[in-house]
């Protein structure tokens, strides 16, 4: 398992609503059970030696959901951050966030900032919560920053551009996982996933367990990443 450990795994946690429906419950029940799956993903990533785990927890487009679901999700987030903080500290986990964080309810912003501040010197796994996030929003935001800084055209390259994205300290994801039996990217990390390996396990998010992550990492280790080169070039 220690061979070719992916440095960064990103996850689109989809299927909570359908999972709840399948159990004859309200949608929020699916989100609540999704927290256990989040815990499994974090523990599994830590055990596998992954350095960064980015979780798509709330997209820009999720603001269009019914108000009760948005409120319940924000409450759940506040509660989960509060409850998990001690465990994050014990396990040397650092928390970060990307997205339009200012658009989150104040209580959520405060809880998040507190957890980010408390865990900032931890050196193990880094969890990045994508909140009020979308790839297009991030790219447009980067362009705005470039204009604001008056950067000359000659200095805007594919290497300098990521400096203006939300978090330029994190390598692009090696693996992107989407649960929920949907096969799309849904506006997640559009710039960063240019050469990411994609995985679509046919399960709903609340059913995700460590073993799913280990199986995906094992399959990833069998894949050959060529980055546009030939297979023969990679073997040299
Ligand atoms: C997508 O499922 C899931 C979300 C929009 C929210 C994800 C939130 C959690 C897993 C809970 C808390 C997270 C953290 C980080 C503590 P969906 O509602 O779109 O499902 P559906 O496609 O079946 O309707």
């Amino acid at each position: 398992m220690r061979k070719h450990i992916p440095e960064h795994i990103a996850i689109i946690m989809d299927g909570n609503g359908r999972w709840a429906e399948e159990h004859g419950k309200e949608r929020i029940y699916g989100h609540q059970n999704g927290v256990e799956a989040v815990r499994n993903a974090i523990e599994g990533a830590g055990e596998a030696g992954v350095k960064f785990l980015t979780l798509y927890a709330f997209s820009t487009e999720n603001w269009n959901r019914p108000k009760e679901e948005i409120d319940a999700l924000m409450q759940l987030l506040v509660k989960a951050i509060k409850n998990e903080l001690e465990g994050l500290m014990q396990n040397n986990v650092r928390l970060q966030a990307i997205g339009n964080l200012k658009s989150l309810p104040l209580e959520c912003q405060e809880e998040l900032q507190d957890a980010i501040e408390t865990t900032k010197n931890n050196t193990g796994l880094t969890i990045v919560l994508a909140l009020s996030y979308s790839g297009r929003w991030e790219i447009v935001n980067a362009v705005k920053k470039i204009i604001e800084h008056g950067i000359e055209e000659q200095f805007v390259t594919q290497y300098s551009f990521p400096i203006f994205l939300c978090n330029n300290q994190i390598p692009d994801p090696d693996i992107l996982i989407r649960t929920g039996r949907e096969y799309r990217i849904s506006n997640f990390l559009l710039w960063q996933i240019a050469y990411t390996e994609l995985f679509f396990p046919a399960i709903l998010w609340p059913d995700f367990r460590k073993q799913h992550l280990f199986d995906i990492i094992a399959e990833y280790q069998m894949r050959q990443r060529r980055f546009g080169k030939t297979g023969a070039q990679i073997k040299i």
Side-chain angles (χ1 to χ4, degrees):
M1 191 80 164
R2 288 283 146 192
K3 225 177 81 189
H4 307 305
I5 297 301
E7 219 182 342
H8 182 183
I9 296 181
I11 308 184
I12 301 174
M13 309 180 287
D14 191 28
N16 293 352
R18 277 164 289 155
W19 189 91
E21 272 166 38
E22 284 178 12
H23 288 76
K25 305 270 187 176
E26 299 289 317
R27 294 178 55 82
I28 189 63
Y29 182 72
H31 298 312
Q32 286 161 347
N33 280 275
V35 176
E36 183 55 32
V38 169
R39 205 172 287 128
N40 265 265
I42 294 172
E43 283 177 17
E47 285 170 27
V50 172
K51 294 301 292 174
F52 302 95
L53 180 68
T54 300
L55 301 171
Y56 206 4
F58 194 85
S59 73
T60 307
E61 290 75 22
N62 286 153
W63 289 115
N64 297 319
R65 291 193 174 199
K67 186 177 178 316
E68 317 82 75
E69 183 170 342
I70 296 174
D71 290 349
L73 263 171
M74 293 298 154
Q75 283 301 316
L76 187 63
L77 208 64
V78 168
K79 199 171 131 197
I81 296 170
K82 248 187 208 151
N83 290 347
E84 302 301 327
L85 187 55
E86 203 181 311
L88 297 183
M89 290 305 289
Q90 277 166 6
N91 290 293
N92 196 21
V93 176
R94 180 170 63 155
L95 184 73
Q96 296 187 341
I98 55 171
N100 186 9
L101 305 180
K102 289 194 193 97
S103 66
L104 298 172
L106 209 56
E107 191 192 10
C108 195
Q109 288 185 44
E110 285 170 359
E111 209 61 57
L112 194 61
Q113 286 312 327
D114 178 54
I116 290 171
E117 186 60 28
T118 308
T119 61
K120 72 174 182 200
N121 294 321
N122 289 347
T123 54
L125 174 70
T126 297
I127 306 167
V128 183
L129 290 185
L131 287 165
S132 191
Y133 172 89
S134 72
R136 287 182 178 176
W137 168 83
E138 182 181 34
I139 291 168
V140 170
N141 213 36
V143 173
K144 285 183 179 175
K145 285 188 214 165
I146 288 169
I147 295 167
E148 272 164 27
H149 285 82
I151 312 263
E152 285 175 40
E153 185 194 334
Q154 58 176 317
F155 296 119
V156 181
T157 68
Q158 63 168 316
Y159 306 104
S160 67
F161 187 79
I163 294 170
F164 299 94
L165 295 173
C166 285
N167 192 333
N168 56 55
Q169 305 296 314
I170 296 181
D172 289 345
D174 302 295
I175 291 177
L176 172 67
I177 301 169
R178 183 189 185 127
T179 59
R181 305 179 199 132
E182 307 286 4
Y183 304 92
R184 51 180 175 256
I185 300 302
S186 297
N187 217 346
F188 193 38
L189 302 176
L190 295 180
W191 176 276
Q192 297 89 336
I193 60 167
Y195 277 100
T196 297
E197 296 294 323
L198 308 179
F199 292 83
F200 298 95
I203 52 165
L204 303 175
W205 178 250
D207 289 327
F208 189 88
R209 290 294 173 267
K210 273 184 214 179
Q211 193 56 47
H212 293 109
L213 190 79
F214 297 152
D215 290 348
I216 287 168
I217 293 175
E219 194 184 325
Y220 164 84
Q221 290 169 332
M222 307 285 286
R223 292 190 187 180
Q224 187 188 52
R225 301 182 78 190
R226 292 193 287 279
F227 300 98
K229 294 182 179 174
T230 67
Q233 282 176 301
I234 300 299
K235 282 188 187 121
I236 291 168

